């Protein structure tokens, strides 16, 4: 289902991760997507992004994203926000992550997709 606004992507991503729907989650990303999995670790393109998302889905996560600011022009949007993710590690230990994100969304043929997903975008930069 096409997303009608850039912000709809967050809702769809949270739902797809919680339900374990890897196809739906990966389908929200642009073919040229870049996903900062962790500071210094970047997934590029559909296949790498899909593999990274599979790792998050394995946590059986609940993701909550709060878009704080959206700046857009035409078919490009910069979305700044905060997020929390809770889940369970492979060994059964609780996992809790949070951060402040900086994402870029792009609309092509009327459909919004995530082009750059940097959950660590307004936090500490690697290097």
């Amino acid at each position: 289902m096409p997303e009608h606004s850039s912000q709809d992507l967050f809702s769809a991503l949270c739902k797809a991760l919680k339900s374990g729907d890897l196809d739906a989650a990966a389908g929200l990303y642009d073919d040229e997507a870049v996903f900062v999995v962790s500071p210094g670790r970047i997934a590029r393109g559909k296949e790498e992004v899909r593999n990274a998302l599979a790792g998050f889905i394995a946590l059986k996560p609940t993701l909550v994203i709060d878009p704080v600011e959206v700046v857009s022009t035409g078919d490009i949007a910069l979305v700044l926000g905060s997020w929390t993710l809770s889940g369970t590690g492979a060994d059964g230990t609780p996992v809790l992550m949070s951060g402040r994100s900086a994402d870029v969304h792009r609309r092509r043929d009327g459909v919004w997709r995530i082009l750059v997903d940097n959950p660590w975008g307004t936090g500490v930069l690697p290097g």
Side-chain angles (χ1 to χ4, degrees), residues 20-88:
D21 190 341
L22 181 56
D23 290 336
L28 297 170
Y29 286 78
D30 191 270
D31 290 342
E32 300 172 354
V34 175
F35 176 28
V36 181
V37 181
S38 60
R41 183 172 162 229
I42 298 174
R44 296 181 188 278
K46 290 292 258 187
E47 186 175 334
E48 287 185 21
V49 168
R50 182 181 177 84
N51 291 339
L53 290 169
F56 284 100
I57 284 176
L59 298 173
K60 297 183 179 8
T62 297
L63 175 64
V64 176
I65 303 172
D66 179 24
V68 175
E69 183 176 3
V70 178
V71 180
S72 62
T73 180
D75 294 333
I76 300 289
L78 171 64
V79 185
L80 304 176
S82 61
W83 59 272
T84 59
L85 181 145
S86 59
T88 306

Side-chain angles (χ1 to χ4, degrees), residues 59 87-96:
L59 298 173
T88 306
D91 62 358
T93 60
V95 173
L96 181 60

Side-chain angles (χ1 to χ4, degrees), residues 1-5 8-9 12 27-28 108-113:
M1 175 171 143
E3 306 314 318
H4 299 289
S5 76
D8 289 342
L9 287 171
L28 297 170
R108 282 194 193 180
D109 301 323
V111 179
W112 285 99
R113 298 279 184 254

